[in-house]
Amino acid sequence: MRPKCVGSNFRRRIGILLTLHLAVLSGCALQPEWQRLARSADLEKSWSEAGQFRHLLLWNRLQGDVLYVYIEGDGSPWINGTRVAVDPTPVNPVMLRLMTAADHPAVYIGRPCYFGTSTSSTCKPDYWTFSRYGTDVVDSMCAATNEVASAHAAREVVLIAYSGGAAVAVGMKTCVHKLSGVVTIAGNLDPPAWTEYHGYSPLVDLPDDVSATRVRESHGQCVNDEISPPATTDRYFLENPAAERHVVDGCAHASGWDVHWNDITH
């Protein structure tokens, strides 16, 4: 009597299992870092359409009178500095990573045309390149922030921003209701000085007035930061003499800020 061959059916099943396993591994590898961080920190995801653009919202589920709004950096607006990226979403979301360790009520508000929205009808490449700190961007960020603050019944709002997000945050000083503070790290506080320093093309449609307001400001800067050197912000501090300036070492543009976090934010 001839033995039964384990043949084609067995091989087919093994092939299916291997395909599924590889698909799962591939999905994990391709998952954006912001999604991984949001899932691991159990952040609640939603969207705001209060302004001109659609904004990603990630909330840490904490409640309180003061709401901290986190604003990310520029991400990847350009490829090799010459070609416009199709999706500028940051590969390394520095602000989101810091927010996941926060012990205060916090909402991460995505900038316009980031986080999978770059192909929406209201978006065009200008909004993550030359106009990324412009009035349309700032106004929409303010609208989303005010909507979120109202939904959370916040009595005060503090903006916390990183890198290019700092330019957006200081532009928002005049249009966020109940704003009590602005905190930045490695911030581009003076875009014209920053573009001149690097020899970049000028950015356009910048808000007219980011001068002194009555809100508390605290800005952390890294002495060795080659992307946002402290010297490029000297004029900002001359025009905003009450703003606190913390120039620290032991850091880089995108790392080491957790060590100085308490000193900068309190």
Side-chain angles (χ1 to χ4, degrees):
M1 184 175 179
R2 296 176 60 186
K4 292 184 178 179
C5 182
V6 190
S8 60
N9 286 339
F10 179 78
R11 289 195 297 270
R12 188 179 301 113
R13 290 174 185 173
I14 291 296
I16 292 172
L17 288 173
L18 285 173
T19 301
L20 290 172
H21 181 65
L22 289 172
V24 169
L25 290 177
S26 176
C28 292
L30 295 175
Q31 183 183 43
E33 180 66 3
W34 72 267
Q35 290 184 4
R36 189 193 68 78
L37 287 170
R39 180 178 289 112
S40 64
D42 192 30
L43 303 179
E44 181 177 293
K45 175 185 171 184
S46 58
W47 297 88
S48 170
E49 298 184 8
Q52 178 178 340
F53 304 98
R54 195 167 189 245
H55 298 269
L56 171 71
L57 305 177
L58 297 172
W59 173 44
N60 68 357
R61 303 178 190 269
L62 298 179
Q63 299 278 9
D65 290 337
V66 182
L67 180 66
Y68 292 79
V69 171
Y70 284 68
I71 302 172
E72 194 59 78
D74 292 343
S76 306
W78 298 93
I79 299 173
N80 297 326
T82 56
R83 290 188 293 129
V84 177
V86 174
D87 182 354
T89 300
V91 175
N92 176 25
V94 173
M95 270 288 92
L96 182 58
R97 185 170 286 105
L98 287 170
M99 195 191 89
T100 59
D103 59 0
H104 48 243
V107 175
Y108 180 91
I109 298 185
R111 287 168 55 179
C113 307
Y114 285 65
F115 304 102
T117 63
S118 61
T119 58
S120 65
S121 60
T122 56
C123 286
K124 57 183 179 180
D126 275 356
Y127 289 130
W128 62 87
T129 55
F130 296 112
S131 298
R132 62 183 181 268
Y133 312 141
T135 53
D136 284 351
V137 168
V138 168
D139 289 347
S140 193
M141 288 291 290
C142 280
T145 300
N146 291 332
E147 179 186 55
V148 169
S150 178
H152 287 263
R155 294 183 180 180
E156 297 180 28
V157 173
V158 176
L159 303 178
I160 302 183
Y162 161 69
S163 191
V168 177
V170 297
M172 294 168 65
K173 288 193 294 184
T174 59
C175 58
V176 172
H177 307 154
K178 303 177 182 179
L179 183 66
S180 63
V182 176
V183 178
T184 73
I185 55 170
N188 179 359
L189 301 174
D190 187 344
W194 180 79
T195 54
E196 182 180 359
Y197 172 85
H198 286 289
Y200 296 156
S201 299
L203 302 177
V204 299
D205 194 33
L206 298 173
D208 292 331
D209 185 15
V210 295
S211 58
T213 59
R214 293 184 178 181
V215 302
R216 174 181 174 260
E217 294 188 42
S218 179
H219 304 283
Q221 301 179 303
C222 185
V223 66
N224 297 318
D225 191 340
E226 296 181 355
I227 296 176
S228 295
T232 63
T233 64
D234 288 345
R235 181 170 56 194
Y236 182 85
F237 288 101
L238 286 174
E239 296 175 352
N240 295 267
E244 299 175 16
R245 188 177 196 177
H246 305 268
V247 181
V248 298
D249 56 15
C251 55
H253 184 72
S255 62
W257 291 107
D258 52 334
V259 177
H260 306 285
W261 196 238
N262 286 337
D263 292 336
I264 296 168
T265 57
H266 293 90

